[in-house]
Amino acid sequence: IQLTQSPSSLSASVGDRVTITCRASQGISSHLAWYQQKPGKAPKLLIYAASTLQSGVPSRFSGSGSGTDFTLTISSLQPEDFATYYCQQLNRYPLTFGGGTKVEIK
Amino acid sequence: EVQLVESGGVVVQPGGSLRLSCAASGFTFADYSMNWVRQAPGKGLEWVSFINWDGDSTYSADSVKGRFTISRDNSRDSLYLQMNSLRAEDTALYFCTKDQFRYSTSWYKGLADAFDIWGQGTMVTVSS
């Protein structure tokens, strides 16, 4: 199952609303997770089951979608949110990740 | 503190072999399925291999099938990745990851759980 993320990169300002999309090549129900990775660090789980916020993750992060189309939204971008974001499908092995979306400071 | 610490990454020649280890602490290792994920320099994430909590079921990416073997020793709280016939394209930072849910049977249905804990990674470089 291929996952296509868009955009591959974006520039945004603190306080902006940011939306990242992830499209699956076939239906995956709600079996999707989102991760955040900062330079030189391991990825961190943000959202699982497409829309469930992982414990400890700020509520400005939200996820939605099912089937083939999914979104990750950051309602008000904070300085610590500048990072690369990946979606991952958990519907079928082999598991796959999207290509990533790098969120940069405008 | 829940922690995963990988080790064993080195520079190895093409065709060579290597075993990576991942030491778990802060949780009951034997209760959780585990994975290896890799990231080539400057690239995205690639899932490599899965092993269920009691070690009797595994899955691997096509790119490593027949060359890499995932295993675990629950008595030592450790996960391993035996890597044979290494290629230049195996050069990457290798992370071990913990599945979210205890005693999960998602794998039995061909599904997976998200990875809630990641190690810091160990670097494998395949070069002559």
Coordinates of all heavy atoms in Angstrom, one line a residue, chain B residues 28-108:
Chain B
T28 N 7.2 -4.2 30.6 CA 7.3 -5.7 30.5 C 7.5 -6.1 29.0 O 6.5 -6.2 28.3 CB 6.1 -6.3 31.1 OG1 5.9 -5.8 32.4 CG2 6.2 -7.8 31.1
F29 N 8.8 -6.2 28.6 CA 9.1 -6.4 27.2 C 8.3 -7.6 26.6 O 7.9 -7.5 25.5 CB 10.6 -6.7 27.2 CG 11.1 -7.0 25.8 CD1 11.3 -6.0 24.8 CD2 11.6 -8.3 25.4 CE1 11.8 -6.2 23.6 CE2 12.1 -8.5 24.2 CZ 12.2 -7.5 23.2
A30 N 8.2 -8.7 27.4 CA 7.6 -9.9 26.9 C 6.1 -9.7 26.5 O 5.5 -10.6 25.8 CB 7.7 -11.0 27.9
D31 N 5.5 -8.6 26.9 CA 4.1 -8.4 26.6 C 3.8 -7.6 25.3 O 2.6 -7.5 25.0 CB 3.5 -7.6 27.8 CG 3.4 -8.3 29.1 OD1 3.8 -9.5 29.1 OD2 3.1 -7.7 30.1
Y32 N 4.9 -7.2 24.7 CA 4.7 -6.3 23.5 C 5.4 -6.8 22.3 O 6.5 -7.3 22.3 CB 5.2 -4.9 23.8 CG 4.4 -4.2 24.9 CD1 4.7 -4.3 26.2 CD2 3.3 -3.4 24.5 CE1 4.0 -3.7 27.2 CE2 2.6 -2.7 25.5 CZ 2.9 -2.9 26.9 OH 2.2 -2.3 27.8
S33 N 4.7 -6.7 21.1 CA 5.3 -6.9 19.9 C 6.3 -5.7 19.5 O 6.1 -4.6 20.1 CB 4.2 -7.0 18.8 OG 3.4 -8.1 19.0
M34 N 7.2 -6.0 18.7 CA 8.3 -5.0 18.4 C 8.6 -5.0 16.9 O 8.2 -5.9 16.2 CB 9.6 -5.4 19.2 CG 9.4 -5.5 20.7 SD 9.3 -3.9 21.5 CE 10.9 -3.3 21.2
N35 N 9.3 -3.9 16.5 CA 9.6 -3.8 15.1 C 11.0 -3.1 15.0 O 11.5 -2.5 15.9 CB 8.6 -2.8 14.4 CG 7.2 -3.3 14.3 OD1 6.8 -3.9 13.3 ND2 6.5 -3.1 15.4
W36 N 11.5 -3.3 13.8 CA 12.7 -2.5 13.3 C 12.2 -1.6 12.2 O 11.5 -2.0 11.3 CB 13.8 -3.4 12.8 CG 14.5 -4.1 13.9 CD1 14.3 -5.4 14.3 CD2 15.6 -3.6 14.8 NE1 15.2 -5.7 15.4 CE2 16.0 -4.6 15.7 CE3 16.3 -2.4 14.9 CZ2 17.0 -4.5 16.6 CZ3 17.3 -2.2 15.8 CH2 17.6 -3.2 16.7
V37 N 12.7 -0.3 12.2 CA 12.4 0.7 11.2 C 13.7 1.3 10.9 O 14.6 1.5 11.7 CB 11.4 1.7 11.7 CG1 11.2 2.9 10.7 CG2 10.1 1.1 12.1
R38 N 14.0 1.6 9.6 CA 15.2 2.3 9.2 C 15.0 3.6 8.5 O 13.9 3.8 7.9 CB 16.1 1.3 8.4 CG 15.6 1.0 7.0 CD 16.5 -0.1 6.4 NE 16.0 -0.4 5.0 CZ 16.6 -1.4 4.3 NH1 17.7 -2.0 4.7 NH2 16.2 -1.6 3.1
Q39 N 16.0 4.4 8.4 CA 16.0 5.7 7.8 C 17.4 5.9 7.1 O 18.3 6.1 7.8 CB 15.6 6.8 8.8 CG 15.4 8.1 8.2 CD 14.8 9.1 9.1 OE1 15.1 9.1 10.3 NE2 13.9 9.9 8.6
A40 N 17.4 5.9 5.8 CA 18.6 6.2 5.1 C 18.9 7.7 5.3 O 18.0 8.5 5.5 CB 18.5 5.9 3.6
P41 N 20.2 8.0 5.2 CA 20.6 9.4 5.4 C 19.8 10.4 4.6 O 19.8 10.3 3.3 CB 22.1 9.5 5.1 CG 22.5 8.1 5.3 CD 21.4 7.2 4.9
G42 N 19.1 11.4 5.2 CA 18.4 12.4 4.5 C 17.1 11.9 3.9 O 16.4 12.6 3.1
K43 N 16.7 10.7 4.2 CA 15.5 10.1 3.5 C 14.4 9.8 4.6 O 14.5 10.2 5.8 CB 15.9 8.8 2.9 CG 16.9 8.9 1.8 CD 16.5 9.8 0.6 CE 17.5 9.8 -0.5 NZ 17.1 10.7 -1.6
G44 N 13.3 9.2 4.1 CA 12.2 9.0 5.0 C 12.3 7.6 5.7 O 13.3 7.0 5.7
L45 N 11.2 7.3 6.4 CA 11.2 6.1 7.2 C 10.8 4.9 6.4 O 9.9 4.9 5.5 CB 10.2 6.3 8.4 CG 10.4 7.5 9.3 CD1 9.3 7.7 10.2 CD2 11.7 7.2 10.1
E46 N 11.4 3.7 6.7 CA 11.1 2.5 6.0 C 10.9 1.4 7.1 O 11.9 1.1 7.8 CB 12.1 2.1 5.0 CG 11.8 0.8 4.3 CD 13.0 0.2 3.4 OE1 14.1 0.7 3.5 OE2 12.7 -0.7 2.6
W47 N 9.8 0.8 7.2 CA 9.6 -0.3 8.1 C 10.4 -1.5 7.6 O 10.4 -1.8 6.4 CB 8.1 -0.7 8.2 CG 7.8 -1.9 8.9 CD1 7.8 -2.1 10.2 CD2 7.5 -3.2 8.3 NE1 7.5 -3.4 10.5 CE2 7.3 -4.1 9.3 CE3 7.4 -3.7 7.0 CZ2 7.1 -5.5 9.1 CZ3 7.2 -5.0 6.7 CH2 7.0 -5.9 7.8
V48 N 11.0 -2.3 8.5 CA 11.9 -3.4 8.1 C 11.3 -4.7 8.6 O 11.2 -5.6 7.7 CB 13.3 -3.2 8.8 CG1 14.1 -4.4 8.5 CG2 13.9 -1.9 8.2
S49 N 10.9 -4.8 9.8 CA 10.5 -6.1 10.3 C 9.7 -6.1 11.6 O 9.9 -5.1 12.4 CB 11.8 -7.0 10.5 OG 11.4 -8.4 10.6
F50 N 8.8 -7.1 11.8 CA 8.0 -7.2 13.0 C 8.1 -8.5 13.6 O 8.3 -9.5 13.0 CB 6.5 -7.0 12.5 CG 5.5 -7.5 13.5 CD1 4.9 -6.7 14.5 CD2 5.1 -8.9 13.4 CE1 4.0 -7.3 15.3 CE2 4.1 -9.4 14.2 CZ 3.6 -8.6 15.2
I51 N 8.0 -8.5 15.0 CA 7.9 -9.8 15.7 C 6.9 -9.7 16.8 O 6.8 -8.7 17.5 CB 9.3 -10.2 16.2 CG1 9.3 -11.6 16.8 CG2 9.8 -9.2 17.3 CD1 10.7 -12.2 17.1
N52 N 6.1 -10.7 16.9 CA 5.0 -10.6 17.9 C 5.6 -10.8 19.3 O 6.8 -11.2 19.5 CB 3.9 -11.5 17.6 CG 4.2 -13.0 17.9 OD1 5.3 -13.4 17.7 ND2 3.2 -13.8 18.3
W53 N 4.8 -10.7 20.3 CA 5.3 -10.6 21.7 C 5.9 -11.9 22.2 O 6.8 -11.9 23.0 CB 4.2 -10.1 22.7 CG 2.8 -10.7 22.5 CD1 1.9 -10.2 21.7 CD2 2.3 -11.9 23.1 NE1 0.7 -11.0 21.7 CE2 1.0 -12.0 22.6 CE3 2.8 -12.8 24.0 CZ2 0.2 -13.1 23.0 CZ3 2.0 -13.9 24.4 CH2 0.7 -14.0 23.8
D54 N 5.4 -13.1 21.7 CA 6.1 -14.3 22.1 C 7.1 -14.8 21.1 O 7.6 -15.9 21.3 CB 5.1 -15.3 22.6 CG 4.2 -15.8 21.4 OD1 4.4 -15.4 20.3 OD2 3.4 -16.7 21.7
G55 N 7.3 -14.1 20.0 CA 8.4 -14.4 19.1 C 8.1 -15.5 18.1 O 8.9 -15.9 17.3
D56 N 6.8 -15.9 18.0 CA 6.5 -17.0 17.1 C 5.9 -16.6 15.7 O 5.5 -17.4 14.9 CB 5.6 -18.1 17.7 CG 4.2 -17.6 18.0 OD1 3.9 -16.4 17.7 OD2 3.4 -18.4 18.5
S57 N 5.8 -15.2 15.6 CA 5.3 -14.7 14.3 C 6.1 -13.5 13.9 O 6.3 -12.6 14.7 CB 3.8 -14.4 14.4 OG 3.3 -14.0 13.2
T58 N 6.5 -13.5 12.6 CA 7.3 -12.4 12.1 C 6.8 -12.0 10.7 O 6.2 -12.8 10.0 CB 8.8 -12.7 12.0 OG1 9.0 -13.7 11.1 CG2 9.4 -13.1 13.4
Y59 N 7.1 -10.7 10.4 CA 6.9 -10.2 9.0 C 8.1 -9.4 8.7 O 8.7 -8.8 9.5 CB 5.6 -9.3 9.0 CG 4.3 -9.9 9.2 CD1 3.6 -9.7 10.4 CD2 3.7 -10.7 8.2 CE1 2.4 -10.3 10.6 CE2 2.4 -11.2 8.4 CZ 1.8 -11.0 9.6 OH 0.5 -11.6 9.8
S60 N 8.4 -9.3 7.4 CA 9.5 -8.5 6.9 C 9.2 -7.8 5.6 O 8.4 -8.3 4.8 CB 10.8 -9.4 6.8 OG 11.3 -9.8 8.0
A61 N 9.9 -6.7 5.4 CA 9.8 -6.0 4.1 C 10.4 -6.8 3.0 O 11.3 -7.5 3.3 CB 10.5 -4.6 4.2
D62 N 9.8 -6.7 1.8 CA 10.4 -7.4 0.7 C 11.8 -7.1 0.5 O 12.6 -8.0 0.0 CB 9.6 -7.1 -0.6 CG 8.2 -7.7 -0.5 OD1 7.9 -8.6 0.3 OD2 7.3 -7.2 -1.4
S63 N 12.3 -5.9 0.8 CA 13.6 -5.4 0.5 C 14.7 -6.2 1.4 O 15.8 -6.2 1.0 CB 13.8 -3.9 0.7 OG 13.4 -3.6 2.0
V64 N 14.2 -6.8 2.4 CA 15.1 -7.5 3.3 C 14.8 -9.0 3.5 O 15.6 -9.7 4.2 CB 15.2 -6.8 4.7 CG1 15.5 -5.3 4.6 CG2 13.9 -7.0 5.5
K65 N 13.7 -9.4 2.9 CA 13.3 -10.8 3.1 C 14.4 -11.8 2.6 O 14.9 -11.6 1.5 CB 12.0 -11.0 2.3 CG 11.1 -12.1 2.9 CD 9.7 -12.0 2.3 CE 8.9 -10.9 2.9 NZ 7.5 -10.9 2.4
G66 N 14.6 -12.8 3.4 CA 15.7 -13.7 3.0 C 17.1 -13.3 3.4 O 18.0 -14.1 3.4
R67 N 17.2 -12.1 3.8 CA 18.6 -11.6 4.2 C 18.6 -11.2 5.7 O 19.6 -11.3 6.4 CB 19.0 -10.4 3.4 CG 19.1 -10.6 1.9 CD 19.7 -9.4 1.2 NE 18.9 -8.2 1.3 CZ 19.3 -7.1 1.8 NH1 20.6 -7.0 2.2 NH2 18.5 -6.0 1.9
F68 N 17.5 -10.6 6.2 CA 17.4 -10.1 7.6 C 16.5 -11.0 8.4 O 15.5 -11.5 7.9 CB 16.9 -8.7 7.7 CG 17.8 -7.6 7.1 CD1 18.9 -7.9 6.4 CD2 17.5 -6.3 7.3 CE1 19.8 -6.9 5.9 CE2 18.3 -5.3 6.8 CZ 19.4 -5.6 6.1
T69 N 16.8 -11.3 9.7 CA 16.0 -12.1 10.5 C 15.8 -11.3 11.9 O 16.8 -11.0 12.5 CB 16.6 -13.4 10.8 OG1 16.8 -14.1 9.6 CG2 15.7 -14.3 11.7
I70 N 14.6 -11.1 12.2 CA 14.3 -10.5 13.5 C 14.0 -11.6 14.5 O 13.5 -12.7 14.2 CB 13.0 -9.6 13.4 CG1 12.8 -8.8 14.7 CG2 11.8 -10.4 13.0 CD1 11.7 -7.7 14.5
S71 N 14.5 -11.3 15.8 CA 14.3 -12.3 16.8 C 14.3 -11.6 18.2 O 14.6 -10.4 18.2 CB 15.4 -13.4 16.8 OG 16.7 -12.8 17.1
R72 N 13.9 -12.3 19.2 CA 13.9 -11.6 20.5 C 14.2 -12.7 21.6 O 14.0 -13.9 21.4 CB 12.5 -11.0 20.8 CG 11.3 -12.0 20.8 CD 10.0 -11.3 20.8 NE 9.8 -10.4 22.0 CZ 9.0 -9.4 22.1 NH1 8.2 -9.1 21.0 NH2 8.9 -8.7 23.2
D73 N 14.7 -12.1 22.7 CA 14.9 -13.0 23.9 C 14.2 -12.3 25.0 O 14.7 -11.3 25.6 CB 16.4 -13.1 24.1 CG 16.8 -14.0 25.3 OD1 15.9 -14.3 26.1 OD2 17.9 -14.5 25.4
N74 N 13.1 -12.8 25.4 CA 12.3 -12.2 26.4 C 12.9 -12.3 27.8 O 12.6 -11.5 28.7 CB 10.8 -12.7 26.4 CG 10.0 -12.2 25.2 OD1 10.4 -11.3 24.6 ND2 8.9 -12.9 25.0
S75 N 13.8 -13.3 28.0 CA 14.4 -13.4 29.3 C 15.5 -12.4 29.5 O 15.9 -12.1 30.6 CB 15.1 -14.8 29.4 OG 16.1 -15.0 28.5
R76 N 16.0 -11.8 28.3 CA 17.0 -10.7 28.4 C 16.4 -9.4 28.0 O 17.2 -8.4 27.9 CB 18.1 -11.1 27.4 CG 18.9 -12.3 27.8 CD 20.0 -12.6 26.8 NE 20.7 -13.8 27.1 CZ 21.8 -13.9 27.8 NH1 22.4 -12.8 28.3 NH2 22.4 -15.0 28.0
D77 N 15.1 -9.3 27.8 CA 14.5 -8.0 27.4 C 15.2 -7.4 26.2 O 15.4 -6.2 26.1 CB 14.5 -7.0 28.6 CG 13.6 -7.4 29.7 OD1 12.7 -8.2 29.6 OD2 13.8 -6.9 30.9
S78 N 15.4 -8.2 25.2 CA 16.2 -7.8 24.1 C 15.6 -8.2 22.7 O 15.0 -9.3 22.6 CB 17.6 -8.3 24.2 OG 18.3 -7.7 25.2
L79 N 15.7 -7.3 21.8 CA 15.3 -7.5 20.4 C 16.5 -7.5 19.5 O 17.5 -6.8 19.8 CB 14.4 -6.4 20.0 CG 13.9 -6.4 18.5 CD1 12.8 -7.5 18.3 CD2 13.3 -5.0 18.2
Y80 N 16.5 -8.3 18.5 CA 17.7 -8.4 17.6 C 17.3 -8.3 16.1 O 16.1 -8.6 15.8 CB 18.4 -9.8 17.8 CG 18.8 -10.0 19.3 CD1 18.0 -10.9 20.0 CD2 19.9 -9.4 19.8 CE1 18.3 -11.1 21.4 CE2 20.2 -9.6 21.2 CZ 19.4 -10.5 21.9 OH 19.7 -10.7 23.2
L81 N 18.3 -7.9 15.3 CA 18.1 -8.0 13.9 C 19.4 -8.6 13.3 O 20.4 -7.9 13.3 CB 17.8 -6.6 13.3 CG 17.5 -6.6 11.8 CD1 16.2 -7.3 11.5 CD2 17.4 -5.2 11.2
Q82 N 19.3 -9.8 12.8 CA 20.5 -10.4 12.1 C 20.4 -10.0 10.7 O 19.4 -10.2 10.0 CB 20.4 -11.9 12.2 CG 21.6 -12.6 11.5 CD 22.9 -12.3 12.1 OE1 23.1 -12.3 13.3 NE2 23.9 -12.1 11.2
M83 N 21.5 -9.3 10.2 CA 21.5 -8.8 8.8 C 22.6 -9.5 8.1 O 23.8 -9.4 8.4 CB 21.8 -7.3 8.9 CG 20.9 -6.5 9.9 SD 21.4 -4.9 10.3 CE 21.2 -4.1 8.7
N84 N 22.3 -10.2 7.0 CA 23.2 -10.9 6.2 C 23.2 -10.3 4.7 O 22.3 -9.6 4.4 CB 22.9 -12.4 6.1 CG 23.0 -13.0 7.5 OD1 23.8 -12.6 8.3 ND2 22.2 -14.1 7.7
S85 N 24.2 -10.6 4.0 CA 24.3 -10.2 2.6 C 24.0 -8.7 2.4 O 23.2 -8.3 1.6 CB 23.3 -11.0 1.7 OG 23.6 -12.4 1.8
L86 N 24.7 -7.9 3.2 CA 24.4 -6.5 3.3 C 24.8 -5.8 2.0 O 25.7 -6.2 1.3 CB 25.1 -5.9 4.5 CG 24.4 -6.1 5.8 CD1 25.4 -5.9 7.0 CD2 23.2 -5.2 5.9
R87 N 24.0 -4.8 1.6 CA 24.1 -4.1 0.4 C 24.3 -2.6 0.8 O 23.9 -2.1 1.8 CB 22.9 -4.2 -0.5 CG 22.5 -5.7 -0.8 CD 21.1 -5.7 -1.4 NE 20.7 -7.1 -1.7 CZ 19.5 -7.5 -2.0 NH1 18.5 -6.6 -2.0 NH2 19.2 -8.7 -2.3
A88 N 24.8 -1.8 -0.2 CA 24.9 -0.4 0.0 C 23.6 0.3 0.4 O 23.6 1.2 1.2 CB 25.5 0.3 -1.2
E89 N 22.5 -0.2 -0.2 CA 21.2 0.4 0.0 C 20.7 0.1 1.4 O 19.6 0.6 1.8 CB 20.2 0.0 -1.0 CG 20.1 -1.5 -1.2 CD 20.9 -2.0 -2.4 OE1 22.1 -1.5 -2.6 OE2 20.5 -3.0 -3.1
D90 N 21.4 -0.8 2.2 CA 21.0 -1.0 3.6 C 21.5 0.0 4.5 O 21.2 0.0 5.7 CB 21.4 -2.4 4.0 CG 20.8 -3.5 3.2 OD1 19.5 -3.4 3.0 OD2 21.5 -4.5 2.9
T91 N 22.4 0.9 4.0 CA 22.9 2.0 4.8 C 21.8 2.8 5.4 O 21.0 3.4 4.6 CB 23.9 2.8 4.0 OG1 25.0 2.0 3.7 CG2 24.4 4.0 4.8
A92 N 21.7 2.9 6.7 CA 20.6 3.6 7.3 C 20.8 3.7 8.9 O 21.7 2.9 9.4 CB 19.3 3.0 7.0
L93 N 20.0 4.5 9.5 CA 19.9 4.5 10.9 C 18.8 3.6 11.2 O 17.7 3.7 10.7 CB 19.6 5.9 11.4 CG 19.5 6.2 12.9 CD1 20.8 5.9 13.6 CD2 19.0 7.6 13.2
Y94 N 19.0 2.6 12.1 CA 18.1 1.6 12.4 C 17.5 1.8 13.8 O 18.2 1.9 14.8 CB 18.7 0.2 12.4 CG 18.9 -0.3 10.9 CD1 20.0 0.2 10.2 CD2 18.1 -1.3 10.4 CE1 20.1 -0.2 8.9 CE2 18.3 -1.7 9.1 CZ 19.3 -1.2 8.3 OH 19.5 -1.6 7.0
F95 N 16.1 1.9 13.8 CA 15.4 2.2 15.1 C 14.7 0.9 15.5 O 14.1 0.2 14.6 CB 14.3 3.2 14.9 CG 14.8 4.6 14.5 CD1 14.8 5.1 13.2 CD2 15.3 5.5 15.5 CE1 15.2 6.3 12.9 CE2 15.7 6.8 15.2 CZ 15.6 7.2 13.9
C96 N 14.7 0.6 16.8 CA 13.7 -0.4 17.2 C 12.5 0.3 17.8 O 12.7 1.5 18.4 CB 14.3 -1.4 18.2 SG 14.6 -0.9 19.9
T97 N 11.4 -0.3 17.7 CA 10.1 0.4 18.2 C 9.3 -0.6 18.9 O 9.3 -1.8 18.6 CB 9.3 0.9 17.0 OG1 8.7 -0.1 16.3 CG2 10.2 1.7 16.0
K98 N 8.5 -0.1 19.8 CA 7.6 -0.9 20.6 C 6.2 -0.6 20.2 O 5.8 0.5 19.9 CB 7.7 -0.4 22.1 CG 6.6 -0.9 23.0 CD 6.7 -0.3 24.4 CE 5.5 -0.5 25.2 NZ 4.3 0.2 24.7
D99 N 5.4 -1.7 20.0 CA 4.0 -1.6 19.7 C 3.2 -1.0 20.9 O 3.6 -1.2 22.0 CB 3.4 -2.9 19.3 CG 3.6 -3.2 17.8 OD1 4.4 -2.5 17.2 OD2 2.9 -4.1 17.3
Q100 N 2.1 -0.3 20.5 CA 1.3 0.4 21.6 C 0.7 -0.5 22.6 O 0.7 -0.2 23.8 CB 0.2 1.1 20.9 CG 0.4 2.5 20.6 CD -0.9 3.1 20.1 OE1 -1.5 2.7 19.1 NE2 -1.4 4.1 20.8
F101 N 0.1 -1.6 22.2 CA -0.8 -2.4 23.0 C -0.3 -3.7 23.5 O 0.3 -4.5 22.7 CB -2.1 -2.5 22.3 CG -2.8 -1.2 21.9 CD1 -3.0 -0.9 20.6 CD2 -3.1 -0.3 22.9 CE1 -3.6 0.3 20.2 CE2 -3.7 0.9 22.5 CZ -3.9 1.2 21.2
R102 N -0.5 -4.0 24.7 CA -0.1 -5.2 25.4 C -0.8 -6.4 24.9 O -2.0 -6.3 24.7 CB -0.3 -5.0 26.9 CG 0.5 -5.8 27.8 CD 0.3 -5.2 29.2 NE 0.8 -6.3 30.1 CZ 0.1 -6.7 31.2 NH1 -1.1 -6.2 31.5 NH2 0.6 -7.7 31.9
Y103 N -0.1 -7.5 24.6 CA -0.7 -8.7 24.2 C -1.6 -8.5 23.0 O -2.6 -9.2 22.9 CB -1.5 -9.4 25.3 CG -0.7 -9.8 26.5 CD1 -1.2 -9.6 27.8 CD2 0.4 -10.6 26.3 CE1 -0.4 -10.1 28.9 CE2 1.2 -11.0 27.4 CZ 0.7 -10.8 28.7 OH 1.5 -11.2 29.8
S104 N -1.3 -7.6 22.1 CA -2.1 -7.3 21.0 C -2.1 -8.5 20.0 O -1.1 -9.1 19.8 CB -1.6 -6.1 20.3 OG -2.4 -5.9 19.1
T105 N -3.3 -8.8 19.5 CA -3.4 -9.8 18.4 C -3.7 -9.2 17.1 O -4.2 -9.9 16.2 CB -4.5 -10.8 18.8 OG1 -5.7 -10.1 19.0 CG2 -4.1 -11.6 20.1
S106 N -3.4 -7.9 16.9 CA -3.7 -7.3 15.6 C -2.9 -8.0 14.5 O -3.5 -8.2 13.4 CB -3.2 -5.8 15.7 OG -4.0 -5.0 16.5
W107 N -1.7 -8.4 14.8 CA -0.9 -9.1 13.8 C -1.5 -10.4 13.3 O -1.4 -10.7 12.1 CB 0.5 -9.4 14.4 CG 0.4 -10.3 15.6 CD1 0.2 -9.9 16.9 CD2 0.3 -11.7 15.6 NE1 0.1 -11.0 17.7 CE2 0.2 -12.1 17.0 CE3 0.5 -12.7 14.6 CZ2 0.1 -13.5 17.4 CZ3 0.4 -14.1 15.0 CH2 0.2 -14.4 16.4
Y108 N -2.3 -11.0 14.1 CA -3.0 -12.2 13.7 C -4.0 -12.0 12.6 O -4.3 -12.9 11.8 CB -3.6 -12.9 14.9 CG -4.2 -14.3 14.7 CD1 -3.3 -15.3 14.6 CD2 -5.5 -14.5 14.6 CE1 -3.7 -16.6 14.4 CE2 -6.0 -15.8 14.4 CZ -5.1 -16.8 14.3 OH -5.6 -18.1 14.1

